[in-house]
């Protein structure tokens, strides 16, 4: 077992133990904080499939996060107002059931990722970064102008959606759901990276010409990765909306897209647990430095600069040593 | 829908387009020569606007405000080039994105620290306030007209600088082969700092000029930055001519779309629904334009490199 695997197990154990402790000590706020960290981790794990394996620096992943959020918001909004989404040609009702909402969120964000990917993957490098950023802004302004669903103010959902057999209003139970989603996504990510598809995608990042020479199409590999990546981030968006019981255009904001990338880098690029470590650290720093100084973004920005300029490899690189042979 | 209104909106579109060009020109120069993607360019726009507002409030002179904007933004640009950006030239785009993202956080929060969260106001100078009557009987705000002319003058100056001067030759040579011009005895480090400060000054100038018709506040730079990215993608990265054409296209599409799309939909929809649909669609118009250009020409209208 390598040091990195040990470290990953320790992180996972912490994510299980800390909220149970908080539950027993009756500190629901700590559980909410942990839930936030886990959901942001999930969003960044989604991005890491495109960025870590495929080398696609997407600065617009908040699009999928926001679509997931709005999928939850719109379905629950119609359900809580007893207003069908659509009557003709056939009746579609809103829903308060998490599994249905998740399915819709995943499908909607995967479709959006497919379309954005089709357009933006025609380019590469700086063009790709700028275009994903621009599409993110497009969705942001669209959400602001969409007054039927709250426009700029967003919309509130009064009661958290339900999951069969669980009481999601109890923080630890909702946390369990989110953690399960994260663990599944991490398992999927790990398996994907080792699969033939993952190896080909990784090769397409390093030497696209050779991949083409053996008869694989880098564009298609990247498009599939981008779509999967968007779908996972979309699921995280639906969970995030359910955590806050609130959706607004800020879920589409470019700052959030930037933060997802930041999570991956703080934790360590091309590491399975990089996004998890980064997102957890971000939430902890935000809570503690944010409580100590109103201007915590300055300190965070400076810390980030130091990490980018001098500390390559992120937190995991610091603790577990050099990355395994990985591009 | 009168001809006057249409002409007025075209002028508004030109005005926002030419200001966008000042932003996009700096970005595209910096990318063309140094191969750097600079997210903090919007922060330099904000720094220019804040310097202008603070200097104009202290001295009562708009002209001194503009001087302060140029000085402040180019100094901030040179400083970050020397301290941070310089270390990023041979890094990959991911590191560049992150480091300049970190700079945005520092600049935005630092400005909030110094000036507070409330917007500042920069007044249009008395000599330029009020409307002017154009040939054809159109009443148009003199200040906006001045922005168009000033922007065109700066654009002409920039083209002259790049096409006709010694430093322009060095910039163009730097785009092609940085080792070679270094070998020919050009101090490449100083050239890079100069180009970065030049781009920063253009962004700061745009921030100050636009700051007088909008409010000067933290976070004002990033929406403009993203529009400038759309401009560059449309025009082609590295091309100043592309930046000019792209900026005018984006400015006109954005302005005309928000006025005329709701009107267009009213022809065949109920007014309320038409306003709603028109507003939604016009907020997306420039991105749709970008998507169309991408499908047609993935490297932009004037771009050579992928």
């Amino acid at each position: 077992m390598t040091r990195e695997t040990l470290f990953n197990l320790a992180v996972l154990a912490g994510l299980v133990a800390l909220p149970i402790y908080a539950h027993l000590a009756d500190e629901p706020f700590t559980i909410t904080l942990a839930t936030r960290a886990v959901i942001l981790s999930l969003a960044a794990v989604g991005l890491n499939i495109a960025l870590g394996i495929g080398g696609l620096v997407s600065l617009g992943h908040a699009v999928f996060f926001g679509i997931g959020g709005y999928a939850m918001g719109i379905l629950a909004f119609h359900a809580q107002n007893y207003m069908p989404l659509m009557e003709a040609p056939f009746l579609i009702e809103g829903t308060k059931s998490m599994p249905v909402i998740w399915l819709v969120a995943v499908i909607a964000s995967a479709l959006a990722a497919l379309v954005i990917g089709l357009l933006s993957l025609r380019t590469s490098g700086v063009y790709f970064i700028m275009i994903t950023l621009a599409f993110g802004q497009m969705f942001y302004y669209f959400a602001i102008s969409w007054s039927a669903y709250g426009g700029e103010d967003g919309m509130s959902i009064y009661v958290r959606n339900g999951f069969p057999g669980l009481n999601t209003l109890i923080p630890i139970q909702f946390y369990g759901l989110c953690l399960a989603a994260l663990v599944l996504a991490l398992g999927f990510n790990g398996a994907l990276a080792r699969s033939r598809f993952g190896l080909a995608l990784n090769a397409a990042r390093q030497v696209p010409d050779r991949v083409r020479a053996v008869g694989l199409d880098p564009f298609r590999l990247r498009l599939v990765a981008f779509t999967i990546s968007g779908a996972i981030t979309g699921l995280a968006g639906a969970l995030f909306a359910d955590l806050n019981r609130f959706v607004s255009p800020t879920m589409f904001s470019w700052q959030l897209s930037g933060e997802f990338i930041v999570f991956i880098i703080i934790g360590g690029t091309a590491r399975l647990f990089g996004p998890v470590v980064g997102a957890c650290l971000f939430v902890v720093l935000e809570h503690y430095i944010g409580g100590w100084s109103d201007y915590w973004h300055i300190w965070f920005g400076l810390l980030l600069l130091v990490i980018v300029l001098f500390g390559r490899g992120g937190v995991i690189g610091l603790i577990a040593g050099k990355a395994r042979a990985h591009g | 829908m009168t001809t006057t209104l249409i002409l007025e909106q075209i002028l508004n579109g030109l005005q926002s387009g030419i200001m966008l060009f000042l932003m996009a020109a700096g970005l595209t120069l910096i990318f063309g020569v140094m191969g750097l993607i600079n997210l903090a360019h919007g922060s330099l726009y904000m720094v220019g606007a804040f310097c202008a507002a603070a200097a104009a409030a202290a001295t009562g002179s708009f002209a001194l405000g503009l001087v302060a904007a140029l000085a402040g933004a180019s100094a901030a640009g040179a400083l970050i080039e020397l301290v941070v950006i310089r270390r990023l030239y041979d890094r990959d785009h991911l590191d560049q994105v992150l480091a300049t993202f970190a700079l945005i956080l520092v600049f935005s929060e630092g400005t909030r620290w110094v000036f507070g969260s409330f917007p500042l106001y920069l007044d249009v100078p008395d000599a330029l306030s009020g409307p002017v009557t154009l040939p054809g009987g159109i009443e148009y705000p003199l200040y906006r007209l001045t922005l168009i002319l000033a922007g065109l003058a700066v654009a002409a100056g920039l083209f002259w600088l790049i096409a006709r001067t010694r430093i322009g030759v060095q910039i163009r040579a730097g785009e092609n082969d940085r080792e070679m011009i270094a070998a020919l005895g050009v101090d490449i480090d100083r050239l890079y700092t100069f180009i970065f400060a030049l781009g920063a000054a253009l962004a700061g100038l745009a921030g100050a000029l636009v700051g007088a018709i909008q409010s000067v506040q933290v976070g004002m730079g990033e929406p403009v930055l993203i529009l400038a990215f759309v401009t560059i993608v449309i025009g082609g990265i590295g091309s100043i001519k592309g930046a000019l054409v792209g900026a005018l296209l984006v400015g006109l599409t954005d302005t005309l779309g928000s006025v005329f799309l709701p009107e267009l939909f009213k022809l065949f929809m109920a007014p309320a629904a038409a306003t709603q649909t028109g507003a939604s669609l016009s907020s997306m118009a420039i991105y749709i334009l970008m998507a169309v250009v991408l499908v047609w020409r993935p490297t932009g209208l004037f771009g050579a490199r992928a």
Side-chain angles (χ1 to χ4, degrees):
Chain A
M1 204 182 279
T2 63
R3 279 172 73 174
E4 188 179 337
T5 319
L6 272 177
F7 178 75
N8 292 351
L9 286 175
V11 170
L12 208 54
L15 284 177
V16 173
L18 183 73
I20 292 181
Y21 166 75
H23 180 67
L24 295 175
D26 198 23
E27 289 174 10
F29 181 71
T30 309
I31 304 180
T32 304
L33 214 58
T35 315
R36 188 177 146 79
V38 163
I39 294 172
L40 291 176
S41 303
L42 179 63
V45 166
L47 174 60
N48 203 25
I49 289 178
L51 196 150
I53 314 177
L56 306 169
V57 184
S58 162
L59 203 41
H61 252 55
V63 167
F64 314 120
F65 198 66
I67 287 178
Y70 269 80
M72 173 277 180
I74 290 169
L75 288 171
F77 171 79
H78 283 278
Q80 79 183 7
N81 294 332
Y82 301 104
M83 217 165 74
L85 238 95
M86 184 166 106
E87 285 173 48
F90 42 85
L91 184 77
I92 299 182
E93 304 236 34
T95 175
K96 296 284 285 178
S97 156
M98 280 190 190
V100 180
I101 289 173
W102 293 352
L103 189 68
V104 174
V106 164
I107 293 174
S109 42
L111 280 177
L114 182 69
V115 174
I116 293 180
L118 271 173
L119 287 165
S120 54
L121 288 169
R122 295 164 64 91
T123 64
S124 59
V126 191
Y127 274 100
F128 182 78
I129 299 172
M130 292 183 182
I131 291 162
T132 48
L133 181 61
F135 279 126
Q137 196 77 345
M138 174 174 106
F139 277 85
Y140 176 71
Y141 285 126
F142 178 76
I144 284 181
S145 72
W146 204 7
S147 54
Y149 294 114
E152 198 162 3
D153 300 328
M155 53 186 164
S156 290
I157 302 303
Y158 303 118
V159 182
R160 186 171 285 154
N161 298 307
F163 190 88
L166 290 178
N167 181 357
T168 53
L169 298 178
I170 299 174
I172 192 81
Q173 299 209 5
F174 183 60
Y175 176 80
L177 270 180
C178 297
L179 185 63
L182 176 65
V183 170
L184 283 177
L186 282 169
F188 176 74
N189 187 352
L192 191 79
R194 283 188 303 271
S195 70
R196 288 161 59 100
F197 171 79
L199 294 175
L201 182 66
N202 201 348
R205 169 172 63 94
Q206 298 178 42
V207 269
D209 285 341
R210 283 198 197 165
V211 172
R212 225 171 268 125
V214 297
L216 292 167
D217 183 0
F219 177 82
R220 279 171 63 180
L221 291 168
R222 289 180 185 138
L223 187 61
V224 172
F226 195 71
T227 308
I228 295 174
S229 161
I232 294 177
T233 305
L235 176 63
L239 290 172
F240 193 73
D242 237 332
L243 172 67
N244 300 323
R245 276 163 283 141
F246 176 68
V247 234
S248 77
T250 50
M251 284 187 77
F252 285 111
S253 71
W254 67 270
Q255 285 96 335
L256 202 54
S257 299
E259 280 166 10
F260 291 159
I261 298 189
V262 168
F263 298 160
I264 296 180
I265 304 304
I266 296 185
T269 28
R271 310 277 190 159
L272 184 59
F273 271 64
V276 182
V277 173
C280 292
L281 202 63
F282 179 84
V283 170
V284 169
L285 286 177
E286 181 184 47
H287 182 64
Y288 287 102
I289 312 186
W292 162 70
S293 157
D294 282 344
Y295 305 102
W296 90 279
H297 273 117
I298 289 195
W299 309 114
F300 184 68
L302 291 174
L303 176 74
L304 186 58
L305 264 183
V306 170
I307 292 179
V308 176
L309 293 180
F310 307 109
R312 311 185 74 182
V315 173
I316 301 186
L318 206 66
I319 293 173
K322 275 202 178 344
R324 58 198 187 272
H326 201 116
Chain B
M1 189 72 28
T2 61
T3 332
T4 324
L5 179 68
I6 295 176
L7 285 174
E8 209 177 286
Q9 294 305 331
I10 289 178
L11 284 173
N12 281 343
L14 282 178
Q15 181 257 307
S16 70
I18 200 84
M19 289 298 116
L20 198 53
F21 167 72
L22 296 185
M23 277 290 280
L27 271 177
T28 207
L29 258 184
I30 290 166
F31 181 78
V33 180
M34 286 97 102
L36 176 98
I37 174 165
N38 178 22
L39 296 186
H41 210 64
S43 298
L44 298 166
Y45 176 89
M46 177 187 73
V47 167
F50 270 92
C51 286
T59 63
S61 156
F62 186 77
L64 282 179
L66 284 187
V67 173
L70 286 169
S74 52
L79 180 72
I80 60 172
E81 202 276 342
L82 289 170
V83 178
V84 177
I85 303 287
R86 173 161 293 197
R87 301 169 201 277
L88 297 171
Y89 294 139
D90 50 2
R91 297 287 191 86
D92 58 15
H93 294 318
L94 182 60
D95 284 355
Q96 299 177 348
V97 163
L98 275 160
T100 51
F101 180 77
L103 285 175
I104 295 182
L105 296 179
V106 173
F107 268 107
S108 295
E109 212 71 345
T111 313
R112 206 194 307 278
W113 202 341
V114 176
F115 290 97
S117 296
F118 294 101
L120 300 184
Y121 292 96
L122 177 62
D123 291 325
V124 172
D126 289 336
L128 296 175
S129 62
V132 62
T133 310
L134 297 177
I138 305 163
E139 296 255 305
Y140 195 71
L142 177 60
Y143 183 70
R144 285 179 181 262
L145 192 67
T146 316
L147 288 194
I148 299 179
L149 297 176
L152 286 174
V154 173
L158 196 61
F159 279 108
W160 174 79
L161 178 84
I162 288 172
R164 293 267 180 260
T165 63
R166 189 165 182 82
I167 194 108
V169 172
Q170 292 177 356
I171 290 174
R172 280 179 289 142
E175 284 183 344
N176 286 325
D177 195 334
R178 75 172 81 170
E179 279 84 13
M180 186 54 93
I181 69 159
L184 290 172
V186 175
D187 185 342
I188 199 94
D189 287 343
R190 267 176 55 196
L191 181 68
Y192 283 4
T193 311
F194 170 79
I195 294 173
F196 201 86
L198 175 69
L202 289 173
L205 178 66
L209 291 175
V210 174
I213 41 180
Q214 290 168 1
S215 58
V216 174
Q217 55 187 335
V218 173
M220 66 188 285
E222 280 67 42
V224 186
L225 172 83
I226 298 173
L227 282 184
F229 279 162
V230 174
T231 299
I232 296 179
V233 169
I234 290 175
I237 301 180
S239 159
I240 301 271
K241 192 167 51 165
L244 183 61
V245 174
L248 294 179
L249 271 176
V250 168
L252 286 170
T253 310
D254 198 27
T255 311
L256 298 181
S258 62
V259 177
F260 296 115
L261 277 176
E263 298 294 324
L264 186 72
F265 282 102
K266 274 184 198 154
L267 296 178
F268 51 88
M269 282 171 85
T275 311
Q276 175 61 45
T277 319
S280 299
L281 202 62
S282 70
S283 70
M284 300 165 71
I286 53 169
Y287 307 102
I288 297 170
L289 175 73
M290 178 185 81
V292 171
V293 171
L294 272 178
V295 170
W296 177 43
R297 278 194 175 187
T299 54
L301 297 175
F302 296 91
R305 64 187 85 197

